[in-house]
Amino acid sequence: AGNQATCTAQGFVSTVFYLTVPYYYSSLSIYSCFAVLNSFKEEKYRHIEKWLHFGAMCISLPVAVFFAARGGINPSITVCFAGEYPFGCDQDANVPCQRGGDDLSMVFTQIYGVIYLCITLIIPPTSLLFLYVSIKKANRDRNRSVGKKKSD
């Protein structure tokens, strides 16, 4: 058991990781594209790493802070997370929401839901497709130049 403060702390951490994990998954895809484009010469693409870490914090922390500050992290079925209290109060007109469940929180959730879907479903496949095309083109160019003399 616990109280609202421990629930908010658990929900804060859960919210941060819920958004950070798929962001880093996408970041690895982007980082691999830069590595291939730069022939794995790390000094040419090392500078983007700090921006990937900075982006992870910019994506996840505002959401967690927003819900924690507005009292929007509450117990749900299994864990504490961003949502209304009592659970399901926004679905039943006879049960007033004591915490969360307001329109601004719902809009915020929808906006970040779209961002989450883009990070998870668009960036990694697009990066992998880009890598596939780049590697295929490099192989094709290499095969065309096999046996030809280099001009000085």
Side-chain angles (χ1 to χ4, degrees):
N3 58 28
Q4 187 59 47
T6 59
C7 182
T8 299
Q10 178 198 24
F12 184 89
V13 171
S14 296
T15 301
V16 168
F17 285 116
Y18 177 76
L19 292 170
T20 303
V21 169
Y23 178 86
Y24 274 115
Y25 172 68
S26 292
S27 295
L28 285 173
S29 300
I30 293 168
Y31 197 75
S32 65
C33 287
F34 276 93
V36 169
L37 283 174
N38 292 292
S39 302
F40 296 96
K41 292 179 177 132
E42 194 174 329
E43 64 276 356
K44 290 185 176 181
Y45 61 90
R46 185 181 304 140
H47 67 280
I48 68 163
E49 187 175 349
K50 65 183 169 205
W51 295 108
L52 295 175
H53 292 299
F54 180 72
M57 295 302 109
C58 288
I59 291 285
S60 61
L61 284 177
V63 178
V65 168
F66 173 82
F67 282 108
R70 293 181 56 84
I73 297 177
N74 297 299
S76 64
I77 296 173
T78 56
V79 296
C80 295
F81 208 68
E84 68 284 342
Y85 180 78
F87 185 71
C89 68
D90 61 337
Q91 306 294 324
D92 188 353
N94 296 326
V95 179
C97 290
Q98 296 172 10
R99 294 170 47 94
D102 58 289
D103 291 338
L104 182 60
S105 296
M106 296 312 209
V107 169
F108 207 72
T109 302
Q110 290 171 348
I111 290 170
Y112 268 90
V114 170
I115 292 171
Y116 179 82
L117 287 175
C118 289
I119 287 172
T120 306
L121 301 176
I122 294 174
I123 294 173
T126 303
S127 298
L128 290 175
L129 182 62
F130 175 79
L131 282 174
Y132 173 78
V133 170
S134 298
I135 292 169
K136 193 152 181 92
K137 182 182 180 294
N139 283 338
R140 187 177 57 238
D141 292 345
R142 190 184 71 217
N143 289 339
R144 285 184 184 159
S145 65
V146 171
K148 294 183 180 179
K149 287 185 176 182
K150 292 183 180 179
S151 58
D152 292 324

